[in-house]
Amino acid sequence: MGATIVEKIFSMKCKKEVCAGDVVMAPVDNAMIHDITGPLAIRKFYEMGGKQVHSPERVTMLFDHQIPADSIGAAENHVYMRNFAKEQGIYNYDLREGVCHQVTMEMGKAAPGEIVVGADSHTCMYGAGGAFATGIGSTDMGFALKFGALYFRVPETIRVTANGSFQKRVGPKDLILSVAADIGADGATYKAIEFTGNTMKAMNMSGRMTCCNMAIEMGAKAGIVPPDTITWDYISRLRNIVPFPLESDNNASFIGERTYNVTNLSPQVAEPHNVDLGVDVAKVAGTTIDQVFIGSCTNGRFEDFVEVAEVLGNRNFSDNVRVIIIPASRQEYLKTLRAGLIERFVTAGALVEAPCCGPCMGGAFGLLAPGEVSLSTSNRNFKGRQGSTGASVYLCSPATAAASGIYGEITDPREVE
Amino acid sequence: MRVWKFGDNIDTDAIIPGRFLTIYDPRELAKHAFEGIRDEFSSEVKTGDIIVAGKNFGCGSSREHAPIALKGAGITMVIAESFARIFYRNAINVGLLPVVCDEAGSIIEGNSVMVDLTGGYLIVEGEKLPIEPIPDFLMRIINSGGLVEYAREFEEVPVCIASHQ
Ligand code: SF4
């Protein structure tokens, strides 16, 4: 019996053959903490009798959810974490770099074959870089900080194969919204999702990140794209690393297999209040919206803003909509800025904010009032996620968000000339 | 003891909204549990109450504030048809018992419910409902009184130990 890519990663790290269902204490290559879940993880570390963090150089610390501090409580959390970083010799990116997952990727902290944990559910995004990466709670993070290792149950894998080429203005976000609608919000609970097929092979890193980011929205423990030249090119620009083969064996055992053809896929929109309620844009076209948010770890990269600018052309956004654009990181911000797109967005009437989570989690600014409707390129539309529980959030791609921002209602981006 | 019933896909944003995540005190967090979703919960919940829900309880964000808020409210156990993975593990880590029961849907508000973990069943109004066994390695954590207590016993852990469940 062959092994899946996930089983191979755990076998490599544990230096013994393990398979799905085994419970292992595996070493952690990198651990990410941010300003929301970090303070609790640090408290747990101390409560566990922790004195010195196991491997400070393997900890990624930054602030992104509530920056610049939007309350005294948030400011206190930042101070608490800064002090911990100093005491422990952890390098702290503080509020300079942007959203945790984007920054972890672009700092080269997640490479093929590594095991990475983050005190945040969308940590599964690093599977785009060929790592086994999973979100954990603060107590588990306290444990990982103290011991440099954590208990894992090696998950079974569902293989998702996507073939075909996208139509113009249809892309990775539309694919993953349709996969989530098919698999369901709990269809992959406790499992890993491996993304393969020629659509994935042709997809750039940004698109792969979008797909892996949303594996958790199906309950998955991890999403992973087998590393290929695109992955190795990306990671070898960031750190010294020698490529090695890493993929599931032909005779590996998968707990589920799904195949999709994207050739005729329409732009997808997830209706309120669950991520697995994706429908063709035609079904909701014409819905009036109050706010458009283009950003987040799911879709806040340069490639996403190029899509937005392409749809926008020389038009302006509707006066009836607040368009909030937030690059996911400083590096993505700079690329977008240098390409002249920030100026275009601001001219068109958008509000462009510095890299952070922004309205995505409803913890900082950009909150919605009861009855308001938001269209968002982020990954969650739960009731109350972006403000009032009486508000509604629809999820979509950057292209659909741009088209809808122009007309003030949900619009099929393919219909914009 | 009161049973609080919820449906499917109760996410952690619903259990404790993002704007309260700068709070760490369990009792303070409990004041905002299910705010905007089920407003009477925080004022009426009593120590020893139980939550019974459908599928995928605790999906979404990894915030441990969610099980902490429920524990702070006095909830001792959450019974659901299934749990989201991170919530399940967080609950065990903080000492809130998650119980998987296929027939959770048959429990109604007002029922008296007890659990027998070693026997592997719930007793609902005198009747036994089977529950899914808790994996051994998590049972060890529960028996220590949570992951913090468990972790206090060691200075280092043997990496790479594996056991087939
Ligand atoms: S952008 Fe949204 S989903 Fe991503 S880390 Fe921030 S709050 Fe979480």
Side-chain angles (χ1 to χ4, degrees):
Chain A
M1 177 68 79
T4 64
I5 186 170
V6 168
E7 289 169 324
K8 286 185 181 183
I9 293 174
F10 276 98
S11 297
M12 240 159 48
K13 286 291 163 188
C14 296
K15 299 190 176 68
K16 71 191 277 184
E17 289 287 304
V18 299
C19 60
D22 286 346
V23 174
V24 297
M25 178 72 81
V28 164
D29 290 293
N30 208 280
M32 186 282 296
I33 51 175
H34 59 56
D35 51 342
I36 293 284
T37 53
L40 197 51
I42 295 168
R43 282 186 178 84
K44 298 290 182 178
F45 165 80
Y46 286 130
E47 283 173 27
M48 287 174 188
K51 287 181 189 71
Q52 176 60 53
V53 165
H54 185 275
S55 314
E57 71 288 355
R58 291 173 185 267
V59 177
T60 305
M61 181 193 286
L62 49 75
F63 311 151
D64 57 353
H65 282 63
Q66 294 180 304
I67 61 155
D70 57 7
S71 65
I72 295 167
E76 285 173 341
N77 281 341
H78 296 169
V79 170
Y80 184 66
M81 289 185 71
R82 278 183 197 118
N83 290 341
F84 182 73
K86 262 191 217 130
E87 172 194 304
Q88 297 289 331
I90 294 168
Y91 184 76
N92 177 14
Y93 292 104
D94 211 285
L95 48 63
R96 295 183 301 278
E97 292 296 335
V99 179
C100 53
H101 306 307
Q102 180 60 28
V103 175
T104 302
M105 286 297 296
E106 66 194 25
M107 296 298 172
K109 307 274 188 191
E114 292 189 332
I115 295 177
V116 184
V117 295
D120 190 286
S121 60
H122 293 103
T123 298
C124 52
M125 185 172 106
Y126 322 153
F132 176 86
T134 193
I136 59 175
S138 293
T139 304
D140 273 340
M141 182 54 82
F143 190 98
L145 291 174
K146 179 173 176 186
F147 299 112
L150 193 63
Y151 274 116
F152 297 89
R153 182 184 168 281
V154 180
E156 291 84 12
T157 298
I158 296 175
R159 183 155 64 180
V160 164
T161 307
N163 289 321
S165 348
F166 293 109
Q167 295 172 36
K168 194 177 176 201
R169 294 179 181 166
V170 182
K173 182 62 164 292
D174 303 299
L175 169 63
I176 197 66
L177 285 175
S178 74
V179 171
D182 182 44
I183 291 184
D186 62 349
T189 301
Y190 295 103
K191 304 178 181 76
I193 298 178
E194 177 182 330
F195 294 98
T196 57
N198 60 33
T199 311
M200 296 310 299
K201 290 207 173 78
M203 199 181 281
N204 59 24
M205 283 298 287
S206 175
R208 294 177 183 189
M209 288 185 214
T210 302
C211 291
C212 289
N213 179 283
M214 294 190 67
I216 178 73
E217 306 311 332
M218 292 162 266
K221 189 166 188 171
I224 190 163
V225 179
D228 56 13
T229 46
I230 293 178
T231 328
W232 289 111
D233 280 355
Y234 180 90
I235 190 75
S236 48
R237 256 180 269 132
L238 303 169
R239 60 189 245 203
N240 235 337
I241 190 162
V242 182
F244 58 90
L246 181 63
E247 60 182 2
S248 295
D249 292 327
N250 286 334
N251 58 344
S253 125
F254 294 96
I255 197 162
E257 300 225 31
R258 308 258 180 162
T259 304
Y260 302 88
N261 191 312
V262 305
T263 314
N264 294 315
L265 183 69
S266 296
Q268 299 289 301
V269 176
E271 296 188 276
H273 301 282
N274 279 309
V275 184
D276 61 356
L277 298 178
V279 296
D280 286 352
V281 65
K283 180 166 178 240
V284 287
T287 307
T288 312
I289 48 179
D290 301 292
Q291 179 164 299
V292 172
F293 167 46
I294 306 175
S296 85
C297 51
T298 321
N299 282 118
R301 282 172 283 278
F302 175 63
E303 289 81 352
D304 299 314
F305 300 123
V306 169
E307 279 274 302
V308 172
E310 191 274 318
V311 174
L312 182 61
N314 286 322
R315 296 176 192 80
N316 288 336
F317 290 117
S318 161
D319 286 347
N320 300 323
V321 179
R322 312 181 293 270
V323 178
I324 303 173
I325 295 182
I326 312 184
S329 72
R330 189 166 63 99
Q331 294 187 19
E332 297 303 302
Y333 192 8
L334 278 169
K335 278 190 258 176
T336 314
L337 186 73
R338 288 178 183 139
L341 304 187
I342 301 287
E343 183 174 349
R344 181 74 275 277
F345 298 154
V346 174
T347 311
L351 220 68
V352 180
E353 299 284 343
C356 68
C357 296
C360 180
M361 192 203 62
F365 55 83
L367 303 187
L368 302 169
E372 283 200 308
V373 178
S374 158
L375 185 65
S376 174
T377 68
S378 58
N379 44 36
R380 280 193 182 132
N381 57 350
F382 301 153
K383 217 178 216 185
R385 169 85 178 174
Q386 293 185 8
S388 166
T389 48
S392 300
V393 179
Y394 292 80
L395 303 176
C396 69
S397 72
T400 303
S404 309
I406 298 168
Y407 296 104
E409 56 181 45
I410 297 180
T411 303
D412 186 336
R414 295 169 303 181
E415 286 166 10
V416 178
E417 301 264 300
Chain B
M1 187 222 69
R2 169 173 174 185
V3 167
W4 292 82
K5 269 217 92 172
F6 289 87
D8 293 338
N9 298 318
I10 299 297
D11 59 81
T12 51
D13 280 86
I15 299 170
I16 185 80
R19 58 189 180 282
F20 302 118
L21 301 185
T22 50
I23 303 172
Y24 297 102
D25 181 63
R27 268 181 292 268
E28 281 302 309
L29 277 171
K31 288 182 188 160
H32 305 287
F34 297 111
E35 195 165 307
I37 299 284
R38 191 137 177 206
D39 284 332
E40 75 280 14
F41 179 85
S42 58
S43 52
E44 293 177 14
V45 66
K46 298 229 159 45
T47 302
D49 283 2
I50 288 172
I51 286 176
V52 177
K55 286 189 300 179
N56 206 22
F57 188 86
C59 59
S61 158
S62 67
R63 61 189 68 165
E64 210 163 287
H65 307 66
I68 293 175
L70 298 184
K71 201 177 172 217
I75 296 287
T76 48
M77 156 167 75
V78 182
I79 300 165
E81 285 169 42
S82 66
F83 287 90
R85 180 188 66 81
I86 306 177
F87 181 91
Y88 184 82
R89 181 111 162 214
N90 285 350
I92 286 184
N93 286 348
V94 306
L96 174 73
L97 188 64
V99 175
V100 180
C101 174
D102 284 346
E103 294 165 60
S106 67
I107 304 171
I108 54 172
E109 300 208 355
N111 278 168
S112 98
V113 182
M114 278 181 306
V115 65
D116 183 336
L117 280 185
T118 29
Y121 51 81
L122 292 171
I123 306 167
V124 180
E125 296 294 316
E127 240 180 81
K128 284 186 188 174
L129 296 185
I131 60 176
E132 223 172 69
I134 294 178
D136 283 351
F137 82 107
L138 293 178
M139 222 35 234
R140 285 198 291 275
I141 293 169
I142 292 174
N143 290 335
S144 306
L147 187 65
V148 167
E149 294 307 316
Y150 178 82
R152 285 179 70 86
E153 295 165 22
F154 314 96
E155 276 319 307
E156 53 188 84
V157 290
V159 292
C160 308
I161 49 163
S163 61
H164 197 77
Q165 291 286 311

